[in-house]
């Protein structure tokens, strides 16, 4: 994912016409809980009314683009047949029956509208 972001989104034609800022706020982070993570993601998604924001997360199965969330659900777009899941369906550590989020695979995107 890093190469795709660097080579496509932050250079050349796309970046000239659609400048985008990408951050990876959780690289080399530990001691973070899922409620803290989702609270921070939700704040980011709602922080900038004059910017478009989204968050991409990587799980052990696939990548998901988070569009919004509330106290119960995460709304996303990805290659699965789901467009929302319960927040408790995710974890940072490997638990049965949850999607494991790797903190190094979380990207925050923002673009002015």
């Amino acid at each position: 994912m890093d190469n795709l972001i660097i080579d496509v989104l932050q250079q050349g034609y796309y970046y000239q016409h659609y400048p985008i800022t990408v951050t990876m706020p959780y690289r080399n982070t530990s001691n973070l809980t899922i409620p803290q993570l989702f609270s921070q993601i939700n704040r980011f998604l709602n922080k900038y009314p004059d910017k478009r924001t989204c968050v991409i997360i990587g799980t052990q199965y696939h990548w998901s683009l988070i569009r919004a969330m509330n106290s119960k659900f995460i709304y996303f777009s990805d290659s699965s047949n789901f467009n929302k899941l319960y927040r408790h369906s995710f974890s940072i550590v490997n638990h049965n029956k949850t999607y494991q989020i790797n903190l190094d695979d979380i990207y925050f995107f923002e673009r002015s509208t």
Side-chain angles (χ1 to χ4, degrees), residues 1 34 37-38 41 55-66 69 74 76-80 82 85-95 97-107:
M1 185 60 79
I34 279 290
L37 174 65
F38 287 156
I41 289 173
V55 176
I56 292 181
I57 61 170
T59 69
Q60 74 269 38
Y61 300 114
H62 59 285
W63 295 92
S64 299
L65 180 116
I66 297 176
M69 63 174 50
I74 297 175
F76 56 91
S77 300
D78 66 20
S79 59
S80 71
F82 305 109
L85 283 174
Y86 285 103
R87 287 171 67 145
H88 68 281
S89 299
F90 295 89
S91 69
I92 295 174
V93 295
N94 193 8
H95 290 296
K97 300 181 182 179
T98 63
Y99 295 100
Q100 181 181 352
I101 298 173
N102 183 351
L103 293 176
D104 288 344
D105 295 332
I106 300 175
Y107 301 85

Side-chain angles (χ1 to χ4, degrees), residues 8-27:
V8 177
L9 296 180
Q10 294 188 309
Q11 293 184 31
Y13 177 85
Y14 186 86
Y15 188 76
Q16 288 175 353
H17 291 86
Y18 307 101
I20 192 166
T21 302
V22 181
T23 57
M24 296 151 281
Y26 304 109
R27 285 273 162 107

Side-chain angles (χ1 to χ4, degrees), residues 31-47:
N31 300 327
L32 188 68
T33 66
I34 279 290
Q36 291 169 328
L37 174 65
F38 287 156
S39 175
Q40 292 173 13
I41 289 173
N42 194 33
R43 268 197 310 272
F44 173 78
L45 291 172
N46 296 306
K47 183 177 181 181

